C-alpha cells in the first residue's frame, strides 16, 4: 500500500511517518486483500491544535475520509484513523450479515468488500461558448460506465457511502422501480421513490 505523509505549516518527523505507515498498513491488512493508497495530511488548527486529514483509496472507486484534531499529532492521527476503521467495521459487518443471510438461502460464502464492483470512470466535457459567456454554468461530468444496482434502500445507502458520492440511482429490490438516495445538505439521507399510478 502506498502511504504518503505531508504537513502544511508543520514538520512531520520520521517517528510520525513510521507510526502513520504502520497503522494504515495494519488497517489495510485487516480489511482488504488489496488496498491502493492513503494520504495523511497534518496542519495547524485553531487554538494551537494539530489537524489530521486521511484520504484512503481502498479500492477502485472507493475513497474513505477521516478527520482528527488534537493538541498532539499522534493523537490527531489516531482520531482520524479510528473514524476510517469504524466505517470499515460497520460496512464489513453489514456485508457479513447480508452474506450470511444469502448463504443460508443458497449455500454461498459471504461476500467481502473486495468482491464489490465499485469502480467508475468519468468524462469532463468542455464548456460550450454559450456556457463560457454566462460564467455560471458548471462543468458537465458524465460517467462513462454506469451500473444501476438492484438493492434494498439500506444497501443503497451503504453503497452511497462506499462510493463516496452524493447520489445513487438504484433499482429497488422490493418494488422493481428506479429509486434514488442522496446526501442532503444537513448530512441526512434523502430517498426518492417514483409516484405509482
Amino acid at each position: 500500500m502506498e502511504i504518503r505523509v505531508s504537513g502544511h505549516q508543520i514538520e512531520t518527523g520520521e517517528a510520525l511517518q513510521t507510526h502513520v505507515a504502520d497503522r494504515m498498513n495494519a488497517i489495510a491488512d485487516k480489511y482488504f486483500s488489496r488496498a491502493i493508497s492513503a494520504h495523511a495530511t497534518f496542519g495547524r488548527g485553531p487554538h494551537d491544535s494539530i489537524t489530521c486529514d486521511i484520504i484512503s483509496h481502498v479500492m477502485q472507486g472507493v475513497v474513505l475520509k477521516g478527520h482528527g484534531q488534537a493538541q498532539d499529532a499522534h493523537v490527531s492521527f489516531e482520531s482520524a484513523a479510528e473514524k476510517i476503521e469504524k466505517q470499515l467495521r460497520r460496512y464489513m459487518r453489514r456485508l457479513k450479515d447480508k452474506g450470511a443471510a444469502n448463504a443460508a438461502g443458497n449455500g454461498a460464502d459471504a461476500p467481502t468488500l473486495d468482491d464489490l464492483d465499485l469502480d467508475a470512470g468519468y468524462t469532463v466535457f468542455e464548456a460550450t461558448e454559450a456556457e463560457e459567456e454566462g460564467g455560471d454554468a458548471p462543468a458537465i461530468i458524465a460517467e462513462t460506465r454506469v451500473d444501476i444496482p438492484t438493492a434494498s434502500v439500506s444497501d443503497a445507502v451503504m453503497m452511497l457511502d462506499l462510493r463516496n458520492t452524493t447520489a445513487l440511482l438504484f433499482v429497488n429490490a422490493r418494488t422493481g422501480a428506479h429509486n434514488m438516495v442522496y446526501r442532503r445538505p444537513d448530512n441526512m439521507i434523502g430517498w426518492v421513490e417514483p409516484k405509482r399510478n
Side-chain angles (χ1 to χ4, degrees):
M1 177 173 177
E2 178 190 340
I3 298 170
R4 291 187 303 144
V5 179
S6 61
H8 291 293
Q9 301 173 346
I10 189 172
E11 286 294 321
T12 57
E14 188 175 326
L16 180 60
Q17 292 180 16
T18 302
H19 177 69
V20 170
D22 291 346
R23 180 80 159 96
M24 294 308 295
N25 278 319
I27 291 172
D29 292 344
K30 185 174 181 179
Y31 293 100
F32 302 100
S33 61
R34 63 192 195 290
I36 300 171
S37 67
H39 185 194
T41 306
F42 293 88
R44 295 275 177 208
H47 309 294
D48 292 326
S49 65
I50 297 174
T51 62
C52 177
D53 291 296
I54 301 173
I55 299 174
S56 181
H57 298 265
V58 294
M59 65 180 68
Q60 190 73 24
V62 178
V63 179
L64 299 175
K65 296 179 182 178
H67 174 78
Q69 183 173 337
Q71 296 300 318
D72 179 71
H74 290 268
V75 176
S76 176
F77 167 73
E78 284 299 326
S79 175
E82 180 57 37
K83 289 175 184 172
I84 285 179
E85 193 164 17
K86 185 177 179 181
Q87 269 188 310
L88 290 171
R89 275 195 307 267
R90 185 174 66 229
Y91 293 133
M92 292 304 292
R93 190 177 320 117
R94 284 201 55 145
L95 287 174
K96 286 180 183 175
D97 291 346
K98 182 179 178 183
N102 290 342
N106 61 15
D109 291 334
T112 66
L113 202 53
D114 288 326
D115 295 332
L116 297 175
D117 180 23
L118 300 174
D119 61 335
Y122 296 92
T123 301
V124 179
F125 292 102
E126 295 293 326
T128 64
E129 288 181 23
E131 290 172 342
E132 288 173 356
E133 289 172 7
D136 292 334
I140 299 170
I141 301 174
E143 296 188 18
T144 56
R145 186 177 70 156
V146 178
D147 65 319
I148 301 177
T150 300
S152 65
V153 176
S154 61
D155 286 346
V157 171
M158 181 179 73
M159 284 187 271
L160 176 80
D161 287 338
L162 282 173
R163 294 178 182 197
N164 196 32
T165 185
T166 55
L168 176 74
L169 179 68
F170 67 102
V171 176
N172 190 319
R174 188 175 54 83
T175 64
H178 284 84
N179 286 200
M180 183 178 71
V181 289
Y182 64 96
R183 189 162 306 280
R184 296 167 23 135
D186 60 3
N187 213 27
M188 301 295 277
I189 301 293
W191 172 26
V192 178
E193 187 172 28
K195 184 177 179 181
R196 294 184 193 169
N197 295 335

